[in-house]
Amino acid sequence: MVRKGQVSEIFSKALHHDNPESYQIGYVDFYTTKETTLEEFLKLSENFEVIPASRIVHIRKGNEMLYRKKL
């Protein structure tokens, strides 16, 4: 289960206090993992309507892994 609080905290920090382009979001799309920037993910997901938070598998900033979904 996704800890939506943890994901939303990372998103909030990135959007309001950092550069969203430096964050990479990995999400499941038809049995593969795709990766995109935070800004692009928010456009694609249409505020989590098209891509829910439960499909996020990781969030990176540079080489630092900020969130990884436990399988």
Side-chain angles (χ1 to χ4, degrees):
M1 180 169 200
V2 171
R3 291 195 56 205
K4 193 170 182 181
Q6 184 179 8
V7 170
S8 64
E9 283 179 25
I10 294 169
F11 278 24
S12 178
K13 179 183 176 198
L15 292 169
H16 301 291
H17 304 289
D18 208 346
N19 177 10
E21 288 295 314
S22 64
Y23 290 76
Q24 294 292 313
I25 311 301
Y27 63 97
V28 175
D29 185 46
F30 294 108
Y31 306 105
T32 63
T33 300
K34 292 190 176 181
E35 192 169 278
T36 189
T37 65
L38 174 56
E39 285 187 334
E40 186 62 27
F41 176 80
L42 292 174
K43 290 176 194 171
L44 291 171
S45 72
E46 297 180 18
N47 199 27
F48 299 106
E49 293 295 318
V50 177
I51 305 170
S54 61
R55 288 181 31 202
I56 295 173
V57 292
H58 69 263
I59 303 172
R60 287 189 301 113
K61 181 180 179 189
N63 293 327
E64 182 182 2
M65 189 65 67
L66 302 175
Y67 170 81
R68 183 182 305 258
K69 184 176 186 174
K70 295 178 182 165
L71 300 175

